[in-house]
Amino acid sequence: MARQTWKPGNMVYPVPAAMVTVADKAGHTNIITIAWTGTICSDPPMTYVSVKPERYSHHMLEETGEFVINLTTRKTAFAADYCGVKSGRDVDKWKETGLTAGKASKVAVPVIEECPVNIECQVTEVKHLGSHDMFMAKVVAVDVDESYMNENGKFDLNGTDLIAYSHGEYRVLGEAVGKFGYSVQKKRRSV
């Protein structure tokens, strides 16, 4: 099999297409679509977002030290794209997308009510890394849409039609091909 070597770049795909909500001290809010986010550790629960300093949301993150990661779905894909290509300096993204700003439970930044999961965060450290600054944060609350609770009281995250961003395209996450630990599970014997 032939292989090509390309110049160094980030080719870790798919990545989230999360809408991140932020606010400044004056109470102005914005939505920025972020692909560079993820888990830092689970105990304590920590995450991050990486943002270019010239982005409108950057100063808001610096001022308040809070943000909410709002997971996106097939239904919010258009809004996620819009919030990623338009600047809050020029447009009111809430108005233009029709998204609803809801009250968060622990932070002063709004959640997006149309998103099935809202992860409330408080910044603990900022790393200046070159093209982006990484805002590392502790997760202080997770809000979920109760309409995705199943009959057993379990949240059905995979039933929300989550999307991811992969090499220039938004993709709905597809069928399950296994579950955690299936590679080492004992096979059932047939009788």
Side-chain angles (χ1 to χ4, degrees), residues 2-186:
R3 306 284 300 163
Q4 294 182 9
T5 301
W6 294 353
K7 68 178 183 170
N10 293 321
M11 286 291 293
V12 178
Y13 287 112
V15 291
M19 288 188 284
V20 175
T21 45
V22 294
D24 64 18
K25 288 183 179 178
H28 302 105
T29 63
N30 192 44
I31 308 165
I32 181 173
T33 301
I34 299 279
W36 293 356
T37 182
T39 299
I40 293 176
C41 76
S42 56
D43 188 15
M46 292 187 69
T47 187
Y48 74 94
V49 292
S50 290
V51 180
K52 289 183 175 182
E54 60 268 21
R55 297 288 187 235
Y56 178 65
S57 295
H58 190 277
H59 85 276
M60 295 180 172
L61 285 161
E62 284 185 319
E63 281 184 30
T64 64
E66 294 182 338
F67 60 91
V68 178
I69 298 172
N70 303 274
L71 300 187
T72 54
T73 64
R74 179 189 302 266
K75 290 179 186 173
T76 60
F78 186 87
D81 183 66
Y82 185 88
C83 291
V85 297
K86 291 291 188 174
S87 173
R89 284 186 188 98
D90 305 323
V91 297
D92 179 342
K93 295 180 189 180
W94 297 101
K95 180 181 173 190
E96 295 300 318
T97 60
L99 294 172
T100 308
K103 184 164 175 43
S105 60
K106 300 281 185 190
V107 298
V109 175
V111 301
I112 299 174
E113 290 189 0
E114 289 78 7
C115 293
V117 177
N118 318 103
I119 305 164
E120 300 181 35
C121 306
Q122 292 176 333
V123 175
T124 59
E125 186 178 347
V126 181
K127 291 215 176 261
H128 307 285
L129 299 170
S131 65
H132 289 68
D133 289 344
M134 177 187 280
F135 293 83
M136 295 184 286
K138 63 182 176 178
V139 175
V140 296
V142 177
D143 310 303
V144 298
D145 182 339
E146 289 181 349
S147 68
Y148 293 103
M149 301 300 282
N150 69 19
E151 62 280 352
N152 298 323
K154 182 179 177 190
F155 185 69
D156 183 16
L157 182 61
N158 294 323
T160 65
D161 259 352
L162 287 175
I163 62 168
Y165 180 78
S166 183
H167 207 60
E169 298 178 329
Y170 301 98
R171 298 276 182 154
V172 175
L173 299 182
E175 69 179 270
V177 296
K179 65 178 185 174
F180 181 75
Y182 85 105
S183 64
V184 295
Q185 274 184 322
K186 292 185 180 184

